[in-house]
């Protein structure tokens, strides 16, 4: 399980499709984090705090971890 840990405020800022704005305006229902609850994973295999690194860096790290585990 990979937990892409992004605060709601940051997710809204990065939303190029405007889905969060539509959800807040009531145009999208059951939108996670707005009118539908979000539950943080209790014990993810990987946690990627997206405010600390770029997506590219996390992708490289994740691939390395997966390959390292499969080599065992």
């Amino acid at each position: 399980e990979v937990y892409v840990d992004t605060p709601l405020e940051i997710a809204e800022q990065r939303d190029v499709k405007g889905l969060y704005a539509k959800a807040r305006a009531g145009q999208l229902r059951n939108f996670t984090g707005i009118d539908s609850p979000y539950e943080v994973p209790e014990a993810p295999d990987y946690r990627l705090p997206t405010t600390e690194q770029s997506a590219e860096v996390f992708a490289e790290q994740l691939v390395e971890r997966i390959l390292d585990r499969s080599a065992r």
Side-chain angles (χ1 to χ4, degrees):
E1 180 176 27
V2 177
Y3 170 35
V4 180
D5 185 359
T6 305
L8 181 59
E9 307 80 46
I10 301 298
E12 289 187 68
Q13 290 172 9
R14 295 176 178 171
D15 180 22
V16 296
K17 294 183 180 181
L19 298 177
Y20 284 95
K22 288 180 181 178
R24 289 202 181 274
Q27 297 171 348
L28 291 177
R29 297 183 133 177
N30 301 318
F31 198 82
T32 304
I34 305 299
D35 65 345
S36 184
Y38 175 74
E39 297 179 17
V40 174
E42 291 181 17
D45 296 304
Y46 304 106
R47 177 182 167 265
L48 308 178
T50 64
T51 58
E52 297 175 14
Q53 294 284 343
S54 69
E56 293 79 12
V57 169
F58 279 130
E60 289 176 14
Q61 290 175 356
L62 191 55
V63 168
E64 287 177 18
R65 289 179 187 172
I66 292 170
L67 292 176
D68 183 50
R69 278 191 175 182
S70 65
R72 293 180 191 173

